[in-house]
Amino acid sequence: MPSGSCLCQGVKYQFKGEPISKAVCHCQSCHKLSSGSSVNLLVPHDHFRITAGRDHMRECNLTHESGMHLTTHFCADCGCVLYKTADRPEFVDDVIVLAGTLDDPGALDEAEPEAEFFVGERAKWWPALKGVRQLAGFT
């Protein structure tokens, strides 16, 4: 069962099964949240659970540049964003796990993206990923 945690290890999570999808996002919100683009794993909400540190979790609600309502879920102690939730129909029953928070050092190898979102926002020095869908937004 894949697991992850924040930088200070105060909050831990697990999810079962394979992610629904895996994508790199280059939107401005992801740039600000992760100090660059983010690798995201879409996981059914009912397959995801916080296993430690729930009392350390905080939320930040904002409007994404696409217009959807986005909530980031982060550790109050170290500030590490662990996952996001959103009201966009494709995301409403899921959590968007930031793959960089997975505990297994090889986890990012398994998180090979199927798509890149907001490719117009991608840094000019970042090459397009070969063999994955290149999308101007989420669709």
Side-chain angles (χ1 to χ4, degrees):
M1 188 174 298
S3 64
S5 58
C6 64
L7 187 60
C8 73
Q9 302 290 308
V11 179
K12 298 179 186 234
Y13 68 83
Q14 288 182 330
F15 63 87
K16 64 181 177 181
E18 288 295 314
I20 297 167
S21 65
K22 306 170 217 173
V24 172
C25 187
H26 302 285
C27 74
Q28 287 298 307
S29 294
C30 283
H31 283 194
K32 290 181 181 283
L33 287 169
S34 61
S35 196
S37 300
S38 65
V39 180
N40 300 289
L41 308 175
L42 190 64
V43 175
H45 192 273
D46 61 351
H47 289 193
F48 178 88
R49 68 185 181 102
I50 299 296
T51 58
R54 184 172 298 283
D55 56 329
H56 293 274
M57 292 294 298
R58 298 295 182 271
E59 295 179 356
C60 177
N61 299 296
L62 54 105
T63 301
H64 186 270
E65 57 266 32
S66 68
M68 74 178 173
H69 179 256
L70 180 69
T71 302
T72 61
H73 303 263
F74 61 95
C75 174
D77 295 331
C78 67
C80 180
V81 177
L82 296 154
Y83 66 100
K84 303 172 276 191
T85 53
D87 66 357
R88 187 174 175 87
E90 301 92 330
F91 304 140
V92 74
D93 293 324
D94 306 312
V95 297
I96 305 160
V97 176
L98 277 74
T101 64
L102 292 168
D103 290 330
D104 177 2
L108 285 177
D109 293 339
E110 299 298 319
E112 186 173 347
E114 301 151 357
E116 283 188 89
F117 299 136
F118 293 88
V119 295
E121 307 290 327
R122 180 176 50 224
K124 300 302 180 218
W125 52 263
W126 185 317
L129 295 174
K130 293 180 183 188
V132 304
R133 292 176 296 156
Q134 301 292 307
L135 303 167
F138 290 120
T139 55

